[in-house]
Structure formats: structure tokens, C-alpha cells
Amino acid sequence: MQFKQKFMRLLCFFFLLSLIPNEGNAQNSQQTNTSKRVRENFDFSWLFHKGDIAIKRAVKAGGYGGLTDVNVTVETNKEAIIAYADVAKAAVFKPEDWKEVNLPHDWCVEGTFVNDNSIGSAPAVSGYLPSGVGFYRKEFEIPETDKGKKLSIEFDGIFRNSTVWVNGQLLGNHQSGYTPSNYDLTDVLRYGNEGKNVILVKVDATEYEGWWYEGCGIYRHVWLNKTNRLHVDRFGTYVTTPSISADEASVSIKTMLKNEYNESKNITLVSKIVDNKGVVLDTITSTQAIEPFCSTEIAQKGAIQKPLLWSPETPNLYKVLTEVSENGYIIDTYETTFGVRTVEINRNGVFLNGKLYPVKGTCNHHDFAGIGVALPDKINEYKLKVLKELGSNAYRCSHNPPTPELLDMCDRMGLLVLDENRMLSSSEEGIKYLETMLYRDRNHPSIFMWSMENEEWIQGTIMGARILETLVATTHKIDPTRKVTAAMNHARNEGGYSDKLDVVGYNYGDKKLAYVTDYKKYPQRVEFCTESTSFVSTRGEYESSWGKSVCSNSTIWQPDWGPYPGEDWADIVKYPFLGGLFVWTAFDYRGEPTPFRWPSISSHFGFMDVCGFPKDGYYAYKAAWTDIPTVHIFPHWNWKGKEGDSIKVHCYTNCDEVELLLNGKSVGKQKAVSYKKLIWPLIYKPGKLEARGYKAGKMVTKDIVETTTDPAQVALNSDVNTIKADGCDVAVIKVVIKDAKGRVVPTADNLVKFSIEGSGKIIGVGNGNPNSHEPDKASQRMAYNGYCMVLVQSDKEVGEIRIKAFSEDLKGTEVVIKTVK
């Protein structure tokens, strides 16, 4: 009996003990709750209002109300009611005045072309689309479990002059349209039952930053970031490889940790170097005490045995996985992608991993047909893929920092990058934008050099040299591993300007062979051809015309400062110390329709049009940059009414010889001259042109151009058969007008209409016509010289998308695209 009583008392003791909160378990639960860094895509379900709305500046905290907040009840937030007592006259949210959009979004491309030369920084350069002011608004909830964390919002790019409010609080303003902006939301959010949250973004795009089409709106991604209050700072890691050999690469890791607690913290920092399969190659551990409200940089050193080098041909990547721990619990994680490679730019050229590496680059603005500057990731990837297929190995971001996803793609796909600062400015704001680009981008192995500016008017001046010196010094401090250039088109030998640069960039240095003359005259100068060519042509056109605003693909017309496509590469081969070049441009882009103005609304500089359809010059660079046997003849052979007239046939090739045949009869064989066109004068007869390319006396390739019959059918060609059901992925669908025999009709301009069924939508159409004023947001488009394009984006449902294309009197067609998780 006594034993039984003791046993029951013991059971009661343990039962009562179990009711006492276990501080260790509570701490473990709390640490688990706050350990995972969350980077949440914030692109979906915004509302957009086009036009200005007056918002009077508040003189009390939280005093904006109206559009900047939601209706707050006494039950949910008594303090808010008091704070908003004086804002009865604030602008009220009226849902009927807004439309739902997902980001990225460019409202400018949705507009109507206007013959107004006051638009933009100079007549015609912005493409005759008005800009203006717009607002973006989003309501969202934050769970109670996020209370105690650090929350911020990152805008990758807003064009431009953006102002942000959250829950009635003005958070700040960011002028630049090309650098990211970040706002700490922690204090102004409502958590759990406190109520809904509202973010309002005003975008004032009435002013410009460049001389090209720049768009309007939140045109890049938005991210909601959640971390512990002790975390890796924004752009907080810097990974370099100071020494590299075949056996080992040393890895330097610098990590900036930020403590936003009001007490000192003792932390452990673990950095794991992993390969692309996730195998841990090295682990480095450090401990550190971090004072309250302080940031501390911790330097670590690791190593990779038998490193795989990064290059455009072998884009091998590694990662540093960062773990921050306190009392044995992980409180933050972070990932940094990097590559192992050496880049040296000297008087002998560009050397990648110790070998001379001629840079085969293109200059690029960041717009595309149908969507303006609001490019889904897939479209950036599509453009880069086209460039890689051409033989290009480098990409110049003209003339501003790109979206960060593009740099990730260049790392992964293998393209060198010249990352470019927007403007030559040593003002507080100018330095801030430069520093942001450098801190954000410096871990990318694809970036081989920084550019401080492009063709600034004050190049070669004493003042310009002082400003440049400040920017170069800033760059060297933040990233001492890369050299610095500037893209110069004048005054290279004046004012001491060039002396401030590691590498002097030559835009159009082929004029009077300036880059060769200066190379001999200045024995310490390192040079690079930052921009070349500027050959204007309109896809499918072979007679230049002021009246039609078109430029021939066959002859140099206006402007006359550049060579034929491909000829610029001859200088790089002859003078390898130039390092390589960047062709102006790969793709046509909106605005700057040199040599025209209205009604031309798009550039003619690209060797592809704004849809990515190749012009004839495309094949000049394919011939120059690849070993793939290439023969390309032009013009087309549909010249009704010109029978008996003289027509010159042009050919780009990398073969030894090319033989041309008309209707089966040889009209002569010509020996190829490297990087030069071949030309045959012919008397036009309808039929079949055939060019045969020979190497070492053996025919290795051919090209055929035939006279077609009238348009008879529409064909669709999607770049993919399957896309992700994520609301983001895109299928690029080429539309081709063909005759009854399936041959592309090179002059066809039929109107093609589209219908779509299933789990997707049309987000844009285009045709590469630089003079077309058709809307880009439509379900139809006229073909231009045989081609047009439709862009189809998935929604978030698994299924299929069926796109039909039809045109009056032509046989229609359809394509089916599956959407998958």
C-alpha cells in the first residue's frame, strides 16, 4: 500500500512536470520558425492606374491614408483611426479606375504612337510612345508568425522616379530606372489579426535617362524578403578565386553580417563550397561576436581541388552555401553562385584562363517585340540562346545595368558580359547607383570588365577626367579583380581622360584606324573595341527609300560611319591586341530609328529585327564567328515586273569558294575573301538561285532562294512544346506565310489573326517592321516580309494551350502547347 501511494505520487509529479513549458523546446521552435530565409516572388495580383493622382504630403507619420492604406476599423487598429483622422480628403481607392496586372509590366508599350518630336531626350529616339505617370497598388497579408523577423521589399527595376508608400507611411523615392531599390517594411507592416497591408507605388516616367525606348512602370521583378534580425546583408557576400592552378583554386569568401537586435550576438558562420551536383568540396567555420545594430564583415578562405574552369564553352559553376547560427540553431542561410576563371586584358588582347580569347560580342538594349521592356525571364533566355547559336560569346549591357536574371543566365549559358554604368556622375546619387551595380553584380563569373559610361559629351575634358577618376577608384575599391573601361567615341587623347582607365574603349575606332594609330603612339595604353559596325538595314528590304523609311540589306546607305556586317571582324583578326568587339547591335530596338524620324518608330541597327528574325547581316557574323560551313545569298528572288533588269546577288560565306547557279546553270565560281561579301551581277529571271560552298575543293553546304507563288497558307513554329504552368513561362511562336509548296513568301504582308484556348494568354505580337503602328497588345498582326510573331504565356493551371492562326484566303493552322508543373 505504501509502495502504491509513493508510485502514484511519482506519477503525479511527472505529470505536473510535463505541464511546465520546456524552454529548450520553445527556443528550438522559435529558432526553426525564424531560421529559413524566404525570398517570395511579389509579381502577381497588382492593380494599375494610368494617370496622375494627387497625393498631398502628410506632415504627420501615417497621415497619408486614402490610396496608401486600407479601411481600418476600430476593432483591428484603434491607433490607426487616430492617425488617419485628418485624411478625410485623401484620394479614395476606386476599383473601377484600376486594372489587374502582373509584373513585369510596361504600360508605355500599350499606348498609341504619336507624331510628337518632343517625346524623349531628342526627336524620335523614344519611339513616339508617350510616357506619363502611373500607380501600382497591392493588398496583401503577413502572417502573425513573421512578427519578429526582418521584412523588406526589393524592386529589381522601376522606370522611373518611383515613390513607395506602405500602410499610409511614405517609405522613400528612387530616381534611377536601372538600379534596384529596397525598402525595410518591418515596422510599418500589420501582422496576423492586425489587418491587411497596402503598398502603393507611384511611377513618374515623364523624364528620361537615355536616348532609346525606356518604357514605363515596374518592368522587372519584385521580391518580398524575410530574414532573422541577424542576417547576411543585402548583396552581402563577395567570393573571389585569388589563385588558380590545375590542382587547386583558392577561394576567398567575405560575408557581411548585419545584427539588428538591440543586444550583442555570438554567431557561428559556416561557408560550404559545393559543386553543381551539391557535393560539398570544402567547409569553413568562423565564430564572431557582433555588436547590437552593427554590421561585421567576416573573411574566410577555402579551396577547390582540381577546379573546373568557367568559360563560355564550359560554363562550370560553384556555390557558397552560407549558414549563420546562434546557440547551435541556424538563423539565416544564403547562396552565392561563382565561377573559377582568370581574365587578363593587356596590350596583347583578352586572355581567358591563360589563353588568347577574342571577344565576339553584341550590344543590346533590353526590349522585345510585343512586350516593350517588361521581359519575362524566358524572353531574355530566348535572346541569349539565339546569340549563342550565332557564335557570339559576349554581351554588352547597353547602356545600363541589366536585370539580375540576365546575368544569372549568362553565367549558366556561357556569355562574357560587359556590365555598364548608366551615366558619368560622381554626385552622391551617381556614386550610389554605381556602387549598387558593383555590389549586386560582382560575384558573376560572366562579367569580365566594367564600363563607366558610353559616349559622354565630356569625354576628353579635364572635368570629365576628374569625375571618371572618382568612378574608377570607387570601382577598384569594391571590386579590385576586374578592369575598368569607358566606351569612347571621341577625344580619346585629350584632357588626360583615357589615362584614368585600365582599358580604353574604342567606339568606331576603325575610322582612320584610330585604334591602331593610338596603340603605336601610346605604348602604355590597353585598348578594346567597345562598339562597332552600326550597319542599318530593314529585314527583307533591298532598296533604300526615304519615302518608305527602309534601308537596304545590300548596300551601305545612311549613316555611313560603319562597315558592312562582318567586315569589322577583320580588324580583330589582324590586330588581336584589340581584344574583340561588340557589334551595334544584335537586335533592333524601339526608338532611335536612324536615319529616319516619323513614321519610323524602331531602330534599323540590328542584324536581327526586334522579334529576333535574322536579317542578312546575321549570316555575316555566323560565317565570321563559327566553323559551321555557311553560305547565305540575298536578295530574295520575287521581283515581278523586273524581268530582264540587272540585279546583284550578294553572299556571306566562310567557305573557300562559292559557285552560283541560276535555274541550274552556273554563273560563275568566286574565291572567298575573309569577312567580305561576294557579289554576282545577274539579269533577273524567275526561278531558282543556288549557291554552293566549297572547302578544299569539296562542296560542304549550299543555300537556295526560289521565286515563290502567291501566299497560300499560314504556318506556326513554337520554340517549345511544353512550358511551366507558373504564370510566367512563355512560348515564342513564329508565324510564317508560305506558298502552296511550303516556301516562305518573302514579300507577304497578310493580316494574321489568332485565337487562344486553354491555360494561357497572348501577351504580345510583333513583326519586325520598324514602321508598323499596329498595337503590340492584340490578337492579330500583319506579316512583314513573310513573318510575324505571337508570344503566349502560361497561367497557373496544368493543361494545354491551343493557338490557332488564320488569314483571309489562306489555309490556317494551329499549335498545341502543354503546360506542366
Side-chain angles (χ1 to χ4, degrees):
M1 185 73 180
Q2 189 176 9
F3 172 79
K4 185 177 180 181
Q5 289 176 339
K6 288 182 178 180
F7 178 74
M8 292 301 297
R9 283 197 296 266
L10 190 62
L11 283 177
C12 290
F13 170 78
F14 280 114
F15 172 74
L16 293 172
L17 186 65
S18 70
L19 298 178
I20 300 174
N22 187 317
E23 293 183 6
N25 288 338
Q27 184 183 26
N28 184 43
S29 175
Q30 182 181 5
Q31 295 288 359
T32 302
N33 180 45
T34 60
S35 66
K36 187 177 180 182
R37 172 183 287 257
V38 175
R39 186 172 183 255
E40 178 183 320
N41 183 276
F42 213 57
D43 288 347
F44 292 94
S45 302
W46 289 75
L47 294 177
F48 171 70
H49 179 279
K50 186 177 179 180
D52 201 0
I53 302 172
I55 298 180
K56 187 177 180 180
R57 185 172 182 85
V59 296
K60 294 285 188 177
Y64 282 93
L67 291 174
T68 71
D69 208 345
V70 290
N71 294 324
V72 183
T73 64
V74 175
E75 288 76 17
T76 59
N77 200 328
K78 295 180 180 179
E79 293 181 1
I81 290 296
I82 297 171
Y84 303 153
D86 297 327
V87 295
K89 297 181 180 180
V92 178
F93 173 60
K94 299 178 181 178
E96 63 271 19
D97 294 339
W98 300 66
K99 70 173 184 177
E100 185 170 341
V101 298
N102 295 327
L103 308 179
H105 178 243
D106 175 5
W107 85 73
C108 192
V109 75
E110 300 169 356
T112 302
F113 298 99
V114 178
N115 185 5
D116 183 354
N117 283 325
S118 69
I119 298 173
S121 59
V125 298
S126 294
Y128 294 105
L129 282 173
S131 53
V133 177
F135 284 80
Y136 295 84
R137 189 178 189 272
K138 180 172 180 172
E139 296 186 11
F140 60 101
E141 296 182 357
I142 298 295
E144 179 75 20
T145 52
D146 283 343
K147 188 180 291 185
K149 298 180 183 178
K150 204 69 181 176
L151 281 78
S152 64
I153 192 166
E154 181 93 14
F155 295 93
D156 283 347
I158 304 174
F159 197 87
R160 66 176 299 277
N161 188 12
S162 56
T163 306
V164 177
W165 294 264
V166 172
N167 294 339
Q169 306 283 343
L170 175 63
L171 295 190
N173 173 267
H174 189 77
Q175 293 284 319
S176 170
Y178 297 111
T179 59
S181 53
N182 183 281
Y183 299 96
D184 186 345
L185 307 182
T186 309
D187 293 345
V188 299
L189 290 174
R190 300 186 182 104
Y191 300 87
N193 292 332
E194 293 176 17
K196 283 188 175 181
N197 298 276
V198 168
I199 183 168
L200 181 73
V201 182
K202 178 181 179 180
V203 182
D204 185 349
T206 53
E207 293 184 344
Y208 36 81
E209 292 189 46
W211 52 94
W212 55 88
Y213 175 83
E214 299 181 283
C216 309
I218 307 179
Y219 72 100
R220 292 179 180 172
H221 293 302
V222 182
W223 306 95
L224 183 64
N225 297 311
K226 304 176 182 181
T227 69
N228 190 282
R229 287 179 180 263
L230 198 161
H231 55 272
V232 178
D233 205 356
R234 183 187 184 214
F235 315 138
T237 58
Y238 182 38
V239 181
T240 58
T241 50
S243 64
I244 301 171
S245 70
D247 293 326
E248 183 179 275
S250 64
V251 181
S252 169
I253 306 167
K254 295 181 179 179
T255 306
M256 184 66 72
L257 297 179
K258 190 172 187 178
N259 179 12
E260 299 189 69
Y261 286 103
N262 61 0
E263 58 182 349
S264 180
K265 293 287 185 176
N266 294 305
I267 62 91
T268 299
L269 173 67
V270 177
S271 297
K272 298 177 182 178
I273 300 172
V274 302
D275 64 14
N276 61 359
K277 296 180 181 179
V279 176
V280 177
L281 307 177
D282 199 1
T283 301
I284 311 97
T285 302
S286 304
T287 58
Q288 181 78 40
I290 306 178
E291 296 299 311
F293 301 110
C294 285
S295 296
T296 298
E297 183 178 81
I298 299 176
Q300 298 174 311
K301 294 190 182 298
I304 299 173
Q305 305 303 317
K306 305 291 184 182
L308 299 176
L309 301 184
W310 185 96
S311 74
E313 292 72 30
T314 58
N316 298 302
L317 295 172
Y318 296 91
K319 286 183 179 181
V320 171
L321 305 182
T322 304
E323 296 176 352
V324 183
S325 300
E326 183 189 15
N327 297 327
Y329 298 105
I330 297 174
I331 59 174
D332 192 26
T333 57
Y334 196 83
E335 286 190 7
T336 307
T337 300
F338 72 101
V340 179
R341 89 288 185 271
T342 63
V343 175
E344 178 59 30
I345 308 171
N346 58 35
R347 288 272 293 175
N348 297 315
V350 174
F351 292 80
L352 179 63
N353 298 324
K355 297 179 180 179
L356 184 66
Y357 194 86
V359 173
K360 304 170 183 177
T362 62
C363 301
N364 299 275
H365 286 308
H366 58 284
D367 64 317
F368 195 72
I371 50 179
V373 297
L375 272 63
D377 292 347
K378 164 60 185 291
I379 299 301
N380 275 317
E381 185 176 30
Y382 177 81
K383 293 175 72 175
L384 294 178
K385 181 181 178 182
V386 170
L387 293 175
K388 287 281 289 185
E389 290 171 349
L390 166 72
S392 176
N393 61 22
Y395 185 101
R396 179 184 172 205
C397 308
S398 306
H399 303 289
N400 49 264
T403 185
E405 286 75 21
L406 183 138
L407 296 177
D408 293 338
M409 294 171 193
C410 289
D411 291 343
R412 186 178 68 251
M413 298 171 68
L415 282 159
L416 293 170
V417 174
L418 179 62
D419 205 350
E420 193 156 84
N421 182 46
R422 170 69 286 278
M423 184 178 288
L424 184 73
S425 171
S426 59
S427 67
E428 181 179 353
E429 188 176 73
I431 293 295
K432 173 187 173 184
Y433 297 153
L434 172 63
E435 289 178 340
T436 300
M437 178 186 79
L438 296 170
Y439 283 121
R440 188 195 72 172
D441 297 348
R442 62 183 178 172
N443 287 315
H444 289 280
S446 56
I447 297 173
F448 78 109
M449 187 161 54
W450 304 107
S451 174
M452 295 295 96
E453 53 94 348
N454 175 77
E455 298 183 356
E456 291 282 4
W457 292 343
I458 59 173
Q459 288 176 348
T461 67
I462 295 173
M463 180 187 293
R466 284 197 295 262
I467 296 172
L468 181 63
E469 185 174 25
T470 299
L471 299 191
V472 172
T474 300
T475 303
H476 284 161
K477 180 180 179 181
I478 294 173
D479 178 25
T481 71
R482 293 179 179 89
K483 292 192 173 180
V484 179
T485 189
M488 300 183 66
N489 66 340
H490 69 283
R492 303 179 189 98
N493 305 324
E494 300 172 15
Y497 194 91
S498 294
D499 297 336
K500 309 302 179 185
L501 295 166
D502 303 319
V503 179
V504 180
Y506 279 73
N507 286 13
Y508 310 100
D510 58 318
K511 292 182 182 179
K512 299 180 181 180
L513 284 179
Y515 42 41
V516 176
T517 301
D518 290 352
Y519 181 80
K520 297 175 182 177
K521 186 176 180 180
Y522 300 96
Q524 303 303 316
R525 181 174 294 183
V526 178
E527 299 179 354
F528 187 91
C529 185
T530 41
E531 189 171 313
S532 70
T533 316
S534 281
F535 178 78
V536 293
S537 60
T538 311
R539 181 179 57 76
E541 300 291 344
Y542 300 97
E543 294 177 342
S544 298
S545 170
W546 288 107
K548 295 181 179 179
S549 297
V550 296
C551 300
S552 171
N553 284 262
S554 303
T555 57
I556 293 175
W557 188 46
Q558 295 285 338
D560 59 359
W561 65 68
Y564 284 107
E567 289 185 355
D568 45 356
W569 190 248
D571 277 359
I572 306 304
V573 174
K574 187 175 181 180
Y575 308 110
F577 60 80
L578 293 173
L581 56 73
F582 287 98
V583 176
W584 190 267
T585 55
F587 299 87
D588 283 345
Y589 51 95
R590 295 172 183 273
E592 203 173 20
T594 306
F596 309 111
R597 291 190 183 178
W598 183 268
S600 198
I601 48 86
S602 177
S603 86
H604 303 246
F605 283 117
F607 55 67
M608 291 178 279
D609 67 20
V610 73
C611 295
F613 293 128
K615 304 180 189 180
D616 297 293
Y618 169 98
Y619 298 95
Y621 288 103
K622 183 178 181 181
W625 288 349
T626 74
D627 295 326
I628 300 171
T630 300
V631 167
H632 173 76
I633 52 174
F634 58 101
H636 60 73
W637 213 236
N638 281 30
W639 298 101
K640 187 176 181 179
K642 291 195 174 186
E643 292 80 2
D645 289 358
S646 177
I647 294 181
K648 292 180 179 179
V649 175
H650 303 253
C651 176
Y652 290 121
T653 186
N654 55 9
C655 294
D656 299 334
E657 294 180 302
V658 178
E659 183 180 19
L660 185 68
L661 297 89
L662 175 58
N663 296 329
K665 295 181 180 180
S666 177
V667 293
K669 183 183 286 188
Q670 293 189 33
K671 289 187 176 182
V673 178
S674 296
Y675 319 117
K676 292 282 188 180
K677 279 193 306 179
L678 301 179
I679 301 176
W680 287 265
L682 296 186
I683 300 300
Y684 176 65
K685 295 179 182 179
K688 177 180 177 182
L689 274 176
E690 181 178 350
R692 298 173 178 174
Y694 295 85
K695 284 197 172 186
K698 181 181 179 181
M699 191 179 80
V700 292
T701 188
K702 64 181 179 179
D703 189 27
I704 294 175
V705 176
E706 294 183 271
T707 306
T708 71
T709 54
D710 292 336
Q713 57 184 310
V714 181
L716 296 179
N717 179 18
S718 175
D719 72 316
V720 291
N721 298 319
T722 301
I723 58 178
K724 295 177 182 178
D726 57 4
C728 303
D729 206 359
V730 176
V732 180
I733 302 174
K734 297 177 182 178
V735 186
V736 189
I737 307 299
K738 297 184 176 182
D739 69 2
K741 292 184 177 180
R743 299 171 298 191
V744 179
V745 181
T747 57
D749 61 356
N750 305 70
L751 177 66
V752 182
K753 296 183 178 181
F754 307 103
S755 67
I756 186 167
E757 300 173 357
S759 50
K761 61 183 178 181
I762 293 172
I763 60 170
V765 292
N767 61 11
N769 181 356
N771 305 301
S772 174
H773 292 187
E774 298 169 271
D776 288 84
K777 304 296 182 181
S779 58
Q780 64 180 36
R781 191 72 168 194
M782 291 183 68
Y784 181 63
N785 290 332
Y787 296 90
C788 61
M789 177 175 282
V790 58
L791 304 177
V792 173
Q793 188 172 59
S794 66
D795 58 25
K796 294 186 177 183
E797 292 184 10
V798 172
E800 65 178 29
I801 307 171
R802 187 177 301 271
I803 305 99
K804 297 180 180 180
F806 48 95
S807 183
E808 187 175 354
D809 298 327
L810 304 186
K811 181 183 177 181
T813 189
E814 67 176 42
V815 65
V816 176
I817 299 167
K818 293 183 179 179
T819 58
V820 298
K821 285 297 184 184

